[in-house]
Amino acid sequence: MQINLTGHHVEITESLREYITSKFSKLERHYDQINNINVVLNVVKLQQIVEAKISLSGAEVFATSEHTDMYAAIDILIDKLDRQVIKHKEKLIKH
C-alpha cells in the first residue's frame, strides 16, 4: 500500500503523516488488495478539507470531508472510506 500525500496551503508535518498512515492501516485490515492511496489536504479560510482516492483491485473509491480540525476531518474521511471499501468487498464476495 502506497500513500501519496499532497498539501494545498498546508504544511504536512511528520505527526500528521504518521496519523494518516496509522488511520489508513485500518482500511488494510478490512481489504488487503489496496494498491495506491492519494490524499489531498487543503485549507480554505477556516475549513480543513481532506480528499482521498483509493485504487483497489478493479475499482476506485473516492471520498471527501470538511471540518474545522484537520484530525477530525481525517477521522470522518476514514469512516466514509471504510464503509465504501467494505461495500466493494461484499460486492466481490456476492459475485
Side-chain angles (χ1 to χ4, degrees):
M1 177 175 73
Q2 180 183 1
I3 300 175
N4 298 326
L5 289 174
T6 307
H8 291 261
H9 306 292
V10 66
E11 181 181 342
I12 299 173
T13 61
E14 190 61 35
S15 63
L16 194 59
R17 184 179 304 275
E18 289 175 6
Y19 187 75
I20 290 172
T21 305
S22 67
K23 288 295 183 174
F24 275 100
S25 66
K26 175 184 172 185
L27 292 179
E28 199 170 29
R29 287 189 309 204
H30 292 275
Y31 190 68
D32 59 348
Q33 297 178 356
I34 297 174
N35 300 330
N36 193 8
I37 300 174
N38 293 322
V39 180
V40 178
L41 308 174
N42 196 357
V43 176
V44 178
K45 293 188 180 180
L46 298 177
Q47 286 296 98
Q48 314 287 328
I49 303 169
V50 183
E51 300 174 348
K53 183 170 73 170
I54 299 178
S55 299
L56 303 172
S57 58
E60 282 190 350
V61 175
F62 179 80
T64 183
S65 67
E66 292 184 19
H67 201 273
T68 55
D69 181 30
M70 183 65 78
Y71 291 99
I74 293 169
D75 289 339
I76 294 168
L77 178 79
I78 293 296
D79 290 339
K80 288 180 181 182
L81 289 172
D82 194 31
R83 281 180 273 158
Q84 290 183 16
V85 166
I86 290 172
K87 186 176 180 180
H88 175 73
K89 183 178 177 181
E90 288 174 355
K91 283 182 183 178
L92 291 178
I93 292 172
K94 288 181 182 178
H95 293 290

